[in-house]
Amino acid sequence: MNSKALIDKLEREKNLSGDEFLFLLKNREDEYIFQKAQTTSKKYFGNKIFIRGLIEFTNYCKNDCYYCGIKKSNLNAQRYRLTDKQIFSCCKIGYDLGFRTFVLQGGEDAGFSDERLIKIISHIKNKYPDCAITLSIGEKSFDTYKNFFDAGANRYLLRHETANESHYQKLHPQNLSLDNRKKCLYNLKEIGYQVGCGFMVGSPFQTLENIVEDLQFIKKFSPHMIGIGPFISHKDTKFSSFSNGSFAMTLFLIAIIRLMLPNSLIPATTALGTINNFGREKGILAGANVLMPNLSPASVRKKYSLYDNKICTGEETAQCLNCLKSRINKIGYEIVVDRGDFKNE
Ligand code: SAH
């Protein structure tokens, strides 16, 4: 086997066998795959980059995912909840800056009942009918997902975290299961959401074989969006002394996923920008086509601390966006005012 030939095959057939993926991960040809991934992304999206305004509206969480800084048992986390008014004000600021997608992300917080969230979603939908609403608030019942969808939510981000059962158990407490996570993903798709799954690269105990399983799950599930970023340790978790995920491997995986699912929406994540100064630019040059700047009020940004040293927690949104725009222009891409929906080929 030869890596370049495998990359050609991946580009042609949009899939590889498990053994072939494993070989490729062990024998990376970075520049070769980045070039192909970039060409593919340009074929579908030109030099356009979609932006999503991320509103981190609560860091309360009932779960205890071992890797996450806002896990329930982290008593050092300073908890906050945005008021409905604050959330709407983030949307207003975002809309005026050209955002046409709002992403409501948070911990699993009982302080936001289904009724309250339905009101928030309907309000945003009524006020900004030309915008997409994305939710990223964890595992809920089929009926709850359906009610949110009927209220106006269009998309849902729920990373599967790892497609290997025993690895999943090493990252999560017993009450959480990969089965339920996957069931949620299938429910979301059935309801009609544009759905995003994904995983952390270099999470504790992850093997290359696990990553192959992630790729195979992603291919099979065929999501509209795929969020992957490096694992970054958080000082208040039991994984505090684990190394961060590999930057190069994350880029390589972005490129593989671009070739596997050519028209999918793939963000260059904040975590990628955190472990490397040019992380987001390099993510785009490896095939990513989405950025998710922070729309949360500057006063709470540091508190939404999933991992240490998160970037862009100091500035106002307008500053962040200007900075990103000029960074993106420098590499020959442009940020557009667009909902950036998934389109079938
Ligand atoms: N509560 C929601 C949103 C989770 S936060 C949910 O359950 O989906 C969004 C993502 O951040 C998670 O899915 C996880 O993959 C990522 N994340 C959490 N802790 C992290 C860490 N220490 N390093 C890198 N990414 C992390």
Side-chain angles (χ1 to χ4, degrees), residues 67-68 105-106 136 138 159 161 181 200 230-232 306-307:
Y67 45 84
C68 183
Q105 188 179 85
S136 177
R159 290 187 174 178
E161 312 297 1
R181 198 86 182 163
M200 290 176 286
F231 162 77
I232 303 176
L306 308 178
Y307 48 81

Side-chain angles (χ1 to χ4, degrees), residues 204-321:
F205 314 112
Q206 184 186 56
T207 62
L208 291 181
E209 286 77 7
N210 292 154
I211 296 180
V212 172
E213 287 178 81
D214 287 317
L215 294 174
Q216 291 176 319
F217 171 70
I218 289 171
K219 184 65 193 178
K220 180 168 162 232
F221 181 60
S222 190
H224 310 87
M225 307 170 278
I226 305 96
I228 64 166
F231 162 77
I232 303 176
S233 66
H234 188 290
K235 59 180 174 19
D236 298 326
T237 66
K238 70 174 182 184
F239 294 149
S240 58
S241 63
F242 279 75
S243 314
N244 293 340
S246 149
F247 180 62
M249 182 58 98
T250 308
L251 295 179
F252 195 72
L253 287 164
I254 288 176
I256 290 186
I257 294 168
R258 169 59 66 213
L259 295 180
M260 247 174 35
L261 298 170
N263 57 337
S264 62
L265 298 154
I266 306 177
T269 60
T270 306
L272 193 61
T274 297
I275 59 162
N276 182 289
N277 281 341
F278 294 98
R280 287 166 301 177
E281 290 92 326
K282 290 188 175 158
I284 288 169
L285 296 173
N289 68 326
V290 171
L291 288 167
M292 299 175 69
N294 203 317
L295 271 187
S296 315
S299 60
V300 304
R301 285 192 199 172
K302 280 200 170 52
K303 296 180 187 160
Y304 196 80
S305 159
L306 308 178
Y307 48 81
D308 290 337
N309 304 317
K310 190 173 135 195
I311 51 167
C312 307
T313 54
E315 306 89 350
E316 294 298 331
T317 306
Q319 274 172 291
C320 263
L321 187 62

